[in-house]
Each structure stands twice: as structure tokens, then as C-alpha cells.
Amino acid sequence: MDKKLTEKQIQWYPGHMFKSFREIKEKLKLMDMVMILLDARLPLSSMNPEILKTVKHKPILLLFNKMDLADPQILNKHMSYYQSLGYEGLKIDAQSQINTKKIYDRAKLVLKEKLDREKAKGLKPRPIRTMILGIPNVGKSTLINALSQKKATKTGNKPGVTKAQQWIKLGDDFELLDTPGVLWPKFEDKKVGYHLAITGAIKDDIIPIDDVCHYALDFLKANYPKRLLERYDIPLDMYDYVSMLDQIGLKRGALLKGNEIDYDRVYHTILTDIRNKQLGGLSFDSI
Ligand code: G4P
């Protein structure tokens, strides 16, 4: 498979990415720490490595969101990998608020030295100032709402800051700077592009849906063949892409007049099933 994306496919994002990195850099000095939200199904593809260079002087907490949709064993391996690089991490499900209450304690752990110094100076504890960064659709808004317990409220401008900054108070624990926090994915590697497309992080029209489904079915066949058997009755010895599409079409009744397979419906069925956990917890980045 072609490793490099076509010009058209990569051209859509560098402008956004450049602008958001510049914004993040500018705001960084106001932060105690940075939280990077990763997709638990693709902890590598959903990380833009440039961001780690940009924020390397700040304490970082990695949050592996959508743990409910991931393959738990593979997720644990990825978490150990990041831990071996020295990053503190926590797996969460922001939608059902699993582990979200543990975030504050983890953040305090990441900031321990600084908090101990402040305590020694007799300073009163104050909310942790942070940014939540993550690729589109990774669950930033969902997490912000979970942390604020109710709908996040904007606080006034902070004195002493040259440009007016909006801070959002998240419960008593955190103050979040009101920046978009969008981490643009980096996907010159076509595999990463496919992973982002399968999970819905990039819009369905960036990479042709037929290519995305071809990649997805080959991937599932190689890594989760029994799930394909259980969901669509795809025999374990069936590897041909079109035969697999036909089988899904027949099984799910995605047929046109004259009983021809409606491939558009089959593509959407595959992606919807993957995204809605109809094929069980899946992880796409290998480790
Ligand atoms: P963003 O701000 O980073 O762009 O993401 P946002 O919070 O809008 O979340 C994107 C989608 O992911 C939402 O679904 C949201 O409900 C879902 N989501 C967020 N966190 C989790 C999680 O931990 N587990 C699961 N399974 N889903 C999560 P949506 O389809 O846009 O809307 P809906 O499902 O809420 O209707």
C-alpha cells in the first residue's frame, strides 16, 4: 500500500496545525501543566509527536479516552510504553465518567514538586491551570463537561495577563484556558490517516471511504477474525476484500433492486459498527 498520502490529502491541515501550535506555545507560560487527550484505540496515531516537543518543559498528563471502545490488553501495552518514556497516564471514559474523578489526583502527582514547593512557602492551594489538547472528536468537550460536573462556566479575565484570557473553572480543581485545544493530527503515514478515518477523527471525505473500508477489513481480518465471523458470518478462510463486502451486504440486507449489493451502505455499516463497538473493543495501533 502507498505509504505517502497524496498532495490533496495532506494539504487540508497544515495551516490549522501551524496556527494552533503557535497558539498553544503562546499560552503555555500561563499553564501549570498540560493534559493531552489521546484516543485509547490509537494512542500513537492520535498523538502528534510535534506537540511533545512544543510542551516538553511543562508537566504532562496523558489521558487515554474512550477506553470503553479499546482492546484493553493492547491499551495497557501502550500505556506501559508511554510510562517507559516517563509520562504519567490514565485511561478514562469521559462519556460514562469512568476514572474522570481520578484525574485531579493524577494531575497533583504530575505537579508534585511544584505543589510541594508552594506548600513549603506557605502558599494556599489553588486550582491547577491547564490546557486540554487533543485531536478533533477525541472527547475534549465531553471531558470538560465531566470535569466541571455541570456545564462548564466561563470565569472573568485574570488580572496580570496582557491579553484578555478567558478561563473556565472546572469544579474546584482546575482552571482551563479557553483556547480551542485542537491538536491537529500528523498523518503523512497513510496508516495513521486510515486509523484516524476509521475512528472518525478526520472527516469521511478526506480519504475515500472505499480505501478506508478496505484497510479496516484487512486489519480486522488479520487481528480480529473471529469478530468478523460472529458479526457478519465471514468465514475464517475468506480473505478477499470484495467477497467480504458481499458477505456483509448479504448478512445485513444492504441490497439494491435486483439483489445487487449496495456497497455504499456496506461501507457505512462497517464504519458505524466499528465506531459503535458492535465488533467489540478494538485497537488499531500495533505495539
Ligand atoms: P471533541 O470536543 O474533542 O471534538 O470531542 P467531543 O467531546 O465532541 O466527543 C466526540 C464524540 O465522542 C461524541 O460523540 C462523544 O459523546 C464521544 N465520546 C467522548 N468521550 C467518549 C468516551 O470516553 N467513550 C465513548 N464511547 N465515546 C466518547 P458523538 O457521536 O459526537 O455524539 P454522541 O455520541 O454524544 O451523540
Side-chain angles (χ1 to χ4, degrees):
M1 216 170 287
D2 190 12
K3 268 257 171 193
K4 288 276 174 196
L5 289 176
T6 64
E7 280 289 288
K8 183 179 167 282
Q9 284 160 358
I10 50 176
Q11 284 229 328
W12 70 284
Y13 80 95
H16 295 289
M17 192 170 95
F18 182 73
K19 185 166 170 278
S20 91
F21 270 73
R22 202 183 50 212
E23 275 178 9
I24 291 167
K25 239 180 190 158
E26 277 168 16
K27 309 285 158 60
L28 214 53
K29 53 184 176 296
L30 306 169
M31 302 297 138
D32 295 313
M33 64 173 297
V34 172
M35 296 197 221
I36 301 180
L37 206 50
L38 298 174
D39 188 318
R41 294 166 294 178
L42 20 132
L44 302 174
S45 301
S46 59
M47 170 68 93
N48 183 329
E50 298 295 319
I51 196 66
L52 289 176
K53 291 184 207 154
T54 308
V55 304
K56 67 171 182 252
H57 298 301
K58 285 284 166 184
I60 296 171
L61 175 61
L62 300 180
L63 298 172
F64 299 84
N65 191 38
K66 308 198 184 185
M67 62 179 278
D68 54 309
L69 301 179
D71 181 327
Q73 283 176 344
I74 309 249
L75 173 58
N76 285 342
K77 283 190 189 166
H78 280 287
M79 292 181 69
S80 303
Y81 165 72
Y82 276 114
Q83 200 178 20
S84 74
L85 299 180
Y87 294 105
E88 191 67 45
L90 180 69
K91 53 185 166 188
I92 61 169
D93 168 351
Q95 200 175 45
S96 307
Q97 307 203 359
I98 311 285
N99 281 353
T100 47
K101 293 212 165 60
K102 293 185 185 162
I103 294 176
Y104 183 51
D105 280 342
R106 285 304 166 96
K108 283 198 293 190
L109 198 65
V110 169
L111 281 172
K112 191 171 179 333
E113 279 178 31
K114 184 179 168 141
L115 296 177
D116 285 350
R117 270 200 313 272
E118 288 185 355
K119 200 173 168 192
K121 282 188 204 161
L123 295 173
K124 264 211 253 158
R126 57 171 177 79
I128 295 172
R129 287 188 194 157
T130 190
M131 255 178 178
I132 295 179
L133 303 177
I135 61 169
N137 233 13
V138 71
K140 296 180 291 300
S141 318
T142 310
L143 176 63
I144 289 168
N145 282 330
L147 287 176
S148 61
Q149 276 130 26
K150 45 187 185 317
K151 229 180 141 30
T153 49
K154 285 188 177 175
T155 63
N157 298 333
K158 288 266 161 207
V161 178
T162 42
K163 249 204 263 165
Q165 302 289 351
Q166 285 285 345
W167 291 85
I168 301 171
K169 217 168 163 349
L170 300 181
D172 297 327
D173 300 336
F174 294 105
E175 281 182 352
L176 187 76
L177 193 61
D178 185 14
T179 18
V182 176
L183 195 56
W184 292 97
K186 193 177 165 85
F187 60 101
E188 280 104 357
D189 180 350
K190 198 149 190 171
K191 227 182 195 179
V192 174
Y194 284 133
H195 294 176
L196 296 168
I198 290 170
T199 52
I202 57 174
K203 291 209 180 80
D204 285 344
D205 55 2
I206 303 276
I207 304 179
I209 194 167
D210 182 31
D211 284 359
V212 175
C213 287
H214 196 160
Y215 179 92
L217 276 185
D218 284 350
F219 178 87
L220 292 170
K221 191 72 207 171
N223 294 281
Y224 301 98
K226 284 197 184 137
R227 313 262 185 104
L228 291 176
L229 173 68
E230 281 158 20
R231 180 81 184 155
Y232 309 118
D233 290 336
I234 293 179
L236 289 174
D237 61 357
M238 181 187 279
Y239 293 95
D240 176 62
Y241 172 55
V242 179
S243 306
M244 290 196 278
L245 290 179
D246 289 346
Q247 173 57 27
I248 296 169
L250 287 173
K251 174 81 186 170
R252 300 293 296 274
L255 301 171
L256 297 165
K257 272 190 200 140
N259 278 352
E260 272 185 52
I261 303 290
D262 182 345
Y263 290 107
D264 284 333
R265 264 172 69 199
V266 174
Y267 300 147
H268 284 102
T269 297
I270 295 168
L271 292 182
T272 309
D273 280 358
I274 291 174
R275 291 171 189 170
N276 293 337
K277 215 187 168 182
Q278 296 301 329
L279 292 155
L282 300 171
S283 289
F284 295 95
D285 286 336
S286 40
I287 181 127

